[in-house]
Amino acid sequence: MKFFWIIPFFLLQETEAFLMKNTRVKLCLQASPMNGNLLLEDCDPESDFQDWSWQGDSLVNHGTQSCLSAGASAVQTSPCGSAGYTGWDCWNSLLSPLGSSQGYLVANRKGVALTNVQGLKAQWQDAAGRSVCEEKEQGRYFAAALASTHVYEHTAGNATLMLGMDQDKLEELLWFFRREDASTWNYSVLTLSFVAMILGLFLLALNIMRNRKRKIQMYKEAVQNTQQAELEAKQALMPMQGYSPPEPQKQEPQDQRSGDVTVQWKDGTVTSLYRERSEDAL
């Protein structure tokens, strides 16, 4: 298991190098291979003298293999572990000498210096725009991950003992399940998916047909109810239209004489009062 962790460790060693670009002047910190001086030059990711990396609290230049140090008069590079060696701490994303109150690493016209300025001149970023202090935190996380591998190996060994098999047997089983052919499972899942799709389409068609039949039935019932209501209304109007009061019977007027009294009854008949009496009187 250690071998698998050693490989990404060396790979990360190649990728953890970063540029130190000043936010204000937009130039990168470069170490001089001759006298250890520090320069501010145009950023060049291909230059090893502009590549820096965190190793603990030290900033190491990949071109000179020396550490960034703060002397009494200037900031320069010196051999790591020497008397002039200086560690660096991060405070509010600003670089300052570890255990010292000399100030912060600031870019100026001559190069770099230590002052109490906390503006953009004291901010250093990598090529991606991240703070150099963030690179330090990532290095700490990776170191903690490497340290945790020993704990993982210890717990893995205890797990194999609890399972009742040795480490080689467990790794063989793991390798078997990793390289197992999954074609059968893939075909099974594909078949089940196809069956589920067919079943879904069948249920959808059945639901559409039932909805259509229900709408047709509701339409027929509505038409039948409307016709029944119209028929009842017509039947209710027919007796009123067929009834007509009887017309009074008209009788031809008879010759009336003076003194005759005639009465017209409801059935239309007309009778004369005192007619018989008048005849008898004659």
Side-chain angles (χ1 to χ4, degrees), residues 194-212 214:
F194 182 74
V195 173
M197 183 184 67
I198 296 299
L199 181 60
L201 293 176
F202 173 74
L203 294 177
L204 178 62
L206 185 62
N207 190 20
I208 292 174
M209 292 178 62
R210 288 184 176 179
N211 290 336
R212 184 175 299 174
R214 184 171 65 252

Side-chain angles (χ1 to χ4, degrees), residues 17-23 25-31 38-45 47 49-54 58-61 67-68 75 77 88 90 94-96 105-107 112 122-128 130-133 135:
F18 53 87
L19 300 176
M20 291 184 62
K21 181 180 179 180
N22 188 266
T23 307
V25 300
K26 305 298 182 182
L27 298 177
C28 290
L29 186 63
Q30 178 176 319
L38 295 173
L39 306 173
L40 289 177
E41 302 289 343
D42 294 333
C43 296
D44 183 11
S47 176
F49 297 103
Q50 292 187 6
D51 288 340
W52 300 84
S53 63
W54 284 102
S58 302
L59 279 169
V60 181
N61 185 268
C67 293
L68 181 66
V75 180
T77 58
W88 295 87
C90 288
L94 303 179
L95 291 174
S96 61
L105 185 65
V106 178
V112 290
Q123 295 182 8
W124 299 88
Q125 298 177 346
D126 60 3
R130 296 177 301 179
S131 174
V132 175
C133 294
E135 299 288 346

Side-chain angles (χ1 to χ4, degrees), residues 1-196:
M1 296 297 292
K2 293 180 180 180
F3 177 74
F4 293 102
W5 283 97
I6 291 173
I7 294 177
F9 174 77
F10 284 106
L11 291 176
L12 190 59
Q13 289 289 336
E14 297 295 333
T15 59
E16 66 178 353
F18 53 87
L19 300 176
M20 291 184 62
K21 181 180 179 180
N22 188 266
T23 307
R24 179 62 181 274
V25 300
K26 305 298 182 182
L27 298 177
C28 290
L29 186 63
Q30 178 176 319
S32 174
M34 303 300 294
N35 50 15
N37 292 334
L38 295 173
L39 306 173
L40 289 177
E41 302 289 343
D42 294 333
C43 296
D44 183 11
E46 302 297 331
S47 176
D48 292 338
F49 297 103
Q50 292 187 6
D51 288 340
W52 300 84
S53 63
W54 284 102
Q55 291 187 6
D57 293 326
S58 302
L59 279 169
V60 181
N61 185 268
H62 284 202
T64 61
Q65 295 298 319
S66 56
C67 293
L68 181 66
S69 302
S73 59
V75 180
Q76 58 186 6
T77 58
S78 61
C80 299
S82 62
Y85 161 75
T86 304
W88 295 87
D89 190 15
C90 288
W91 183 84
N92 197 17
S93 299
L94 303 179
L95 291 174
S96 61
L98 186 64
S100 175
S101 59
Q102 296 178 352
Y104 307 102
L105 185 65
V106 178
N108 55 22
R109 295 180 180 180
K110 297 181 180 180
V112 290
L114 292 177
T115 62
N116 293 324
V117 178
Q118 298 183 11
L120 295 177
K121 290 183 178 181
Q123 295 182 8
W124 299 88
Q125 298 177 346
D126 60 3
R130 296 177 301 179
S131 174
V132 175
C133 294
E134 294 183 10
E135 299 288 346
K136 184 177 182 180
E137 294 297 328
Q138 290 183 358
R140 288 181 179 178
Y141 294 152
F142 181 72
L146 289 177
S148 65
T149 56
H150 301 286
V151 180
Y152 171 77
E153 291 177 357
H154 179 70
T155 55
N158 294 335
T160 55
L161 292 176
M162 293 176 62
L163 292 174
M165 61 179 67
D166 56 357
Q167 183 71 19
D168 296 336
K169 184 65 175 177
L170 182 60
E171 291 182 357
E172 182 181 355
L173 291 176
L174 291 176
W175 177 251
F176 172 76
F177 287 109
R178 286 175 184 172
R179 64 183 179 86
E180 184 182 5
D181 187 12
S183 300
T184 304
W185 171 254
N186 294 334
Y187 291 144
S188 301
V189 173
L190 182 61
T191 304
L192 290 176
S193 302
F194 182 74
V195 173

